[in-house]
């Protein structure tokens, strides 16, 4: 079940919506997004200690969450470079 959270950065993700990974990405902790696979967006939070927005996704057909960390030093358009909304 998707849940809301907060971050200071604007982002394109909407709770419960599905996104295709445009590139394969490794992320902490042991999370992997594979190009061409679909992920549902479930939560956003902010880690003050790490200076990063943390997105929680669940890959289509799976139950374990994947986490993508968007660090404050990353480009503002990185979300759109890595993920594309799908139906």
């Amino acid at each position: 079940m998707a849940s809301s959270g907060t971050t200071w950065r604007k982002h394109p993700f909407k709770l419960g919506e599905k996104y295709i990974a445009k590139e394969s990405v490794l992320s902490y902790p042991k999370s992997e997004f594979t190009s061409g696979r679909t992920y549902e967006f479930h939560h956003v939070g902010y880690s003050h200690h790490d200076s990063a927005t943390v997105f929680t996704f669940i890959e289509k057909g799976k139950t374990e969450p994947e986490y993508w960390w968007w660090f404050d030093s990353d480009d503002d358009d990185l979300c759109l470079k890595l993920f594309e909304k799908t139906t």
Side-chain angles (χ1 to χ4, degrees):
M1 179 174 170
S3 65
S4 64
T6 61
T7 183
W8 67 271
R9 294 181 91 169
K10 288 186 178 184
H11 62 84
F13 303 126
K14 294 186 177 158
L15 293 175
E17 296 289 335
K18 294 177 178 67
Y19 298 86
I20 294 175
K22 293 164 77 174
E23 297 179 21
S24 293
V25 178
L26 295 176
S27 190
Y28 176 84
K30 297 181 182 179
S31 289
E32 182 175 355
F33 295 85
T34 303
S35 179
R37 292 191 183 168
T38 302
Y39 300 85
E40 184 175 324
F41 176 55
H42 277 256
H43 184 265
V44 62
Y46 187 77
S47 172
H48 293 279
H49 177 74
D50 299 298
S51 299
T53 299
V54 183
F55 298 101
T56 304
F57 293 88
I58 296 180
E59 184 177 351
K60 183 178 178 181
K62 300 206 175 169
T63 58
E64 291 298 314
E66 301 286 348
Y67 304 96
W68 178 59
W69 292 60
W70 186 27
F71 292 94
D72 291 354
S73 59
D74 290 337
D75 291 338
D76 286 340
D77 63 349
L78 188 58
C79 294
L80 297 175
K81 286 181 181 178
L82 298 178
F83 298 94
E84 179 179 2
K85 189 175 182 299
T86 187
T87 54

